[in-house]
Amino acid sequence: MAIRKKQPETSENKTTDEETPVIPPNEADFGGQQLDLFRAFLCNTDNERDQLSNTFDLWDSVPRYAVSRQQMDKIRKEKGFLDLQQVEFHYRGTKLKTIIQAARILDEKTGTTKDYYPSANEELIEDALRKIAAEQRNAFFDKPNYRSGVVFSLHALREELKRRGHTRSYQQIILSLNILARSTIEIRSTNGKDGEKFAVSCYFSGLAAASKYRLAEDPTAKWIVQFHPLVTQSIDSLTYRQFNYAQMMSHTSQLARWIHKQLSLKFTFASLTTPFEMRYSTIRRDSALLNNYSRGRKAIEALDEAWSELIKNGVLLTTQKSEVRGGRGKLEEVIYTLTPSLDFISAIKAANKRENLAVGKKTDPVDHLQNPKRR
């Protein structure tokens, strides 16, 4: 397996197939203030610490895992390939657009290729790797080259997924890693007088592995993943928050996991007397996870099931549903008023305190779409 990273496509280089080697991190890259803060969770016990990880404000607000494997199969049958996926969404009042190019993966046994968008499987892989990165001496942050990532073994990644209820085979994990390293995502912003900003990169900007045996047969092989540049920027500027990762991973619904992350990022004032409001139209637009339902009623039913799961797993105490109807009784909007659980309130308070204790100046992550290396 080549130890390479694909150069992101830019306006000056739209057709290049050049690849450059992934440079292994130096020993010094595994320490430093940014990583100390990234790994330092506010908790009372080791068991509590085991439940925690980090969620990234802008990166985790991008609808980048919205197409299921079943939907991909349907598109392939109709077109023979996966076209560019384009999704418009809002991030804290800013209109953004993401353009996703599918990964083309070679099956070495059959010699055939198949296109894949990153989907729920790959999202679980990324979340598990971010948890591993939060453990001692696994993450690296290379400020001079402005990159961050994690060093791990397939065995460690598989065990992390297994203990969170998402067991995968080594072959499935390797496929997901390759999809993440070969899929490109462009995040574009057009914000009036400020003009246009964009960033293009693979989901994982670098992937490397080395083994004495064939990688597919060696679970002890050391792998290196370089995270997306927006994750690196977030680590550098401290625009991430601790949250209950174990609870999030316990949800069986991808939509419930997405909502949990959004609540962790945005419901920072959580209390029993201060409910939070979310609208069906906003969730549909910003998650892109409800776009495949042919009827709005079916999408609302899927959303209702996600709320039920969040209540069952202790994130929410109650939800109140209000329907807004227009002419002839047509359903135009559904408004959900959410009351958080005591556990969620405690988690938010701890995240707020940890954020206040963190050292460093925060910057606007959208501004880094124009120049991710600006420091």
Side-chain angles (χ1 to χ4, degrees), residues 15-32:
T15 59
T16 182
D17 288 326
E18 281 187 43
E19 294 183 337
T20 56
V22 172
I23 302 171
N26 297 319
E27 183 65 26
D29 297 333
F30 290 90

Side-chain angles (χ1 to χ4, degrees), residues 203-222:
Y203 281 60
F204 287 165
S205 62
L207 176 68
S211 172
K212 296 179 181 178
Y213 314 101
R214 294 183 70 250
L215 287 168
E217 300 170 359
D218 185 5
T220 65
K222 288 297 182 182

Side-chain angles (χ1 to χ4, degrees), residues 358-375:
V359 179
K361 182 181 179 182
K362 291 186 178 182
T363 56
D364 180 5
V366 173
D367 191 45
H368 284 72
L369 292 179
Q370 188 168 21
N371 186 1
K373 287 193 175 184
R374 199 186 79 177
R375 313 191 267 283

Side-chain angles (χ1 to χ4, degrees), residues 236-254:
D236 188 25
S237 60
L238 309 182
T239 52
Y240 54 82
R241 287 176 60 83
Q242 80 175 42
F243 80 119
N244 194 325
Y245 155 85
Q247 191 178 43
M248 184 275 296
M249 292 288 274
S250 73
H251 308 319
T252 58
S253 161
Q254 185 186 9

Side-chain angles (χ1 to χ4, degrees), residues 133-149:
E135 301 299 327
Q136 190 72 18
R137 305 297 292 180
N138 292 321
F140 62 89
F141 176 68
D142 177 5
K143 179 107 176 182
N145 293 301
Y146 215 69
R147 63 183 185 137
S148 65

